[in-house]
Amino acid sequence: MFKDSYTIRSAALSDHLLLKHLYEQVARVAGGIAREYDEIDDQYIDSMLTSSLKNGIILVAQLDDTIIGSISTYKLQPRCFSHMLGGLTIGVDPAYQSLVISRALFSDLLSIIKHDWPTIARVELMVRESNTKAIAFYESLGFKKEGCLEKRVVGVLGTLEADISMGWINPEYKQ
């Protein structure tokens, strides 16, 4: 999959149904995202869209009339967290999964933060300890492991596993 065959753009409220379809596809794969297929509903998509559009960033990778990937993050509450973005979620349609699309989405996201959000000092995400491929990928983007929350998440095999907290520091941050 080459960059020329899809475009990355900011999402809009009108992308609701396309995003719901994307996240349903991602959730069908065990460990694809934290939510399971039956947890991908209109309320989840509305919450992700409105939080990201109002206080954050949401980007989509689009191929023709289909959204094949999405990344979103938003400012957390209360105000003492206004210097950071959290709640980061990325999903790429299993039919198009590759590090190329994920890397392009992250690259655009981090570039937007560096250039357009200078008051954002950090971006946080959580990843299951068993998802070693994702951990290595996030580290390749400059995220660092910052903590381990033992027995926080039910893993793909139904056992409790740690959630790994990772953070990226904006080199262009201006207080």
Side-chain angles (χ1 to χ4, degrees):
M1 174 76 40
F2 296 103
K3 174 81 169 117
D4 302 1
S5 58
Y6 63 92
T7 58
I8 294 179
R9 63 172 176 79
S10 294
L13 285 175
S14 59
D15 291 320
H16 176 98
L17 289 176
L18 293 173
L19 283 166
K20 185 177 180 188
H21 178 74
L22 167 67
Y23 280 96
E24 287 172 339
Q25 299 310 308
V26 174
R28 288 184 195 276
V29 177
I33 57 174
R35 291 184 182 271
E36 295 182 20
Y37 177 79
D38 64 343
E39 296 177 296
I40 306 298
D41 57 17
D42 289 326
Q43 182 180 356
Y44 169 67
I45 300 299
D46 283 341
S47 177
M48 177 178 56
L49 261 171
T50 56
S51 295
S52 299
L53 289 171
K54 182 179 177 184
N55 290 314
I57 302 166
I58 182 167
L59 303 174
V60 295
Q62 185 166 346
L63 178 64
D64 300 322
D65 294 330
T66 305
I67 291 178
I68 59 172
S70 171
I71 191 168
S72 63
T73 186
Y74 51 87
K75 286 185 179 183
L76 302 174
Q77 297 292 325
R79 196 175 315 130
C80 65
F81 297 121
S82 66
H83 65 285
M84 59 186 254
L85 297 173
L88 192 141
T89 301
I90 183 165
V92 175
D93 187 309
Y96 297 94
Q97 278 192 354
S98 71
L99 294 181
V100 174
I101 294 172
S102 296
R103 188 170 298 280
L105 284 165
F106 261 105
S107 177
D108 283 12
L109 174 76
L110 298 178
S111 179
I112 288 168
I113 294 165
K114 284 182 205 174
H115 297 105
D116 300 335
W117 291 64
T119 60
I120 295 299
R122 62 181 284 119
V123 177
E124 296 180 341
L125 61 82
M126 301 295 285
V127 59
R128 288 182 177 126
E129 70 179 324
S130 62
N131 197 346
T132 56
K133 183 177 177 184
I135 292 169
F137 172 65
Y138 299 144
E139 287 176 329
S140 77
L141 296 166
F143 283 80
K144 293 188 173 32
K145 291 181 191 173
E146 297 182 329
C148 177
L149 304 172
E150 294 294 331
K151 298 190 183 301
R152 183 165 189 259
V153 63
V154 176
V156 176
L157 301 176
T159 58
L160 294 178
E161 63 178 281
D163 232 356
I164 306 298
S165 172
M166 299 185 77
W168 174 84
I169 305 300
N170 182 1
E172 302 299 322
Y173 170 66
K174 301 203 180 8
Q175 190 168 12

